[in-house]
Amino acid sequence: MGNKQARQRLKAQEFHFIAKNSAFLNREVVSDYYNEIIEKYRDGKMDAEDFKKIFRLAFPERPEEKLSALTEKIRNVEKTDGSIPMHSIAMLIYLFSDASTEDNLGQMFNLFDEDGNGNINIDELLNMMAFFIEIGMDTGKVDMAKTMAEVFSKGDKNKDEKLSKSEFIQGMTQHPVTANILKIKTIDALLETF
């Protein structure tokens, strides 16, 4: 979904953010693991064991049985081939990190600003929506397509058909569905949304 190369381009500042707001030791460790995963999974999808390995490094305190349940949910074998898109691990790190909601959203924005122009258009926002669908959040409780359209509408105050980072943050924090998702900081809470 979307521009795989754009999602694979993490920058040094993102490595620093991840190291600072998770259990990774430093940005060099984050960078080393990132490079290893990018080299191993050139198609942008990883297997469940590597997903768990990276997640454990970032959040070692999470119970193994909960991580296994989350991994199975993200694999979403009912709708996919069972491999895990690499942007999923980044999104979960940003979702579960110790940073502020606004800082986490800024990182998510960077991940999905596929052309790096400082704006997210509706297609890029739909790629983010696909992440939520991929992890199973579109199972009848929430219509993610409608939710993301409303997020876009709330954020795009000047009606220029794109969201700046501040507009994106505003739209995501002001919509009740996404605001609740952004409060999730545990695997249990995330699994309860499905």
Side-chain angles (χ1 to χ4, degrees):
M1 311 213 132
N3 182 340
K4 289 180 189 170
Q5 290 177 339
R7 289 193 189 153
Q8 292 176 358
R9 60 167 170 71
L10 291 179
K11 301 176 190 99
Q13 67 194 26
E14 285 136 350
F15 296 143
H16 177 73
F17 179 90
I18 292 168
K20 180 180 173 190
N21 295 290
S22 72
F24 275 103
L25 299 175
N26 58 49
R27 72 180 188 193
E28 289 78 22
V29 171
V30 176
S31 178
D32 289 346
Y33 277 99
Y34 170 78
N35 290 331
E36 176 185 318
I37 293 296
I38 290 297
E39 182 65 29
K40 186 173 180 180
Y41 299 107
R42 294 184 182 266
D43 66 350
K45 295 181 177 185
M46 62 176 32
D47 67 29
E49 290 310 309
D50 279 332
F51 172 84
K52 286 180 176 181
K53 176 181 162 185
I54 298 296
F55 195 91
R56 272 189 222 104
L57 287 167
F59 305 105
E61 73 283 0
R62 306 298 161 110
E64 189 63 31
E65 69 277 2
K66 305 291 183 181
L67 177 55
S68 292
L70 176 64
T71 303
E72 285 310 303
K73 194 65 177 168
I74 291 175
R75 287 185 63 225
N76 197 5
V77 294
E78 300 83 29
K79 296 181 182 178
T80 72
D81 65 4
S83 58
I84 300 171
M86 288 195 302
H87 66 269
S88 295
I89 192 72
M91 288 289 286
L92 288 168
I93 288 172
Y94 298 147
L95 186 64
F96 288 158
S97 86
D98 295 332
S100 71
T101 298
E102 290 76 16
D103 288 344
N104 289 337
L105 282 170
Q107 295 303 122
M108 290 177 194
F109 178 92
N110 293 341
L111 186 64
F112 285 90
D113 177 14
E114 295 173 358
D115 56 12
N117 69 355
N119 293 295
I120 290 183
N121 61 36
I122 192 69
D123 290 333
E124 291 167 327
L125 192 66
L126 291 174
N127 287 333
M128 182 179 292
M129 177 192 73
F131 161 76
F132 294 112
I133 291 171
E134 286 166 355
I135 65 169
M137 294 190 88
D138 200 25
T139 58
K141 292 181 183 178
V142 173
D143 180 345
M144 286 309 295
K146 179 181 176 194
T147 297
M148 287 309 205
E150 291 168 354
V151 164
F152 196 86
S153 179
K154 284 182 181 293
D156 189 19
K157 295 295 183 192
N158 63 0
K159 306 298 180 212
D160 64 354
E161 299 295 315
K162 58 188 175 186
L163 299 177
S164 66
K165 190 179 283 192
S166 63
E167 288 175 324
F168 170 75
I169 291 170
Q170 180 179 345
M172 291 290 284
T173 57
Q174 288 183 356
H175 193 283
V177 171
T178 52
N180 282 334
I181 291 169
L182 296 169
K183 291 177 187 172
I184 294 171
K185 294 294 179 186
T186 67
I187 295 174
D188 282 345
L190 182 61
L191 292 172
E192 287 173 13
T193 65
F194 304 126

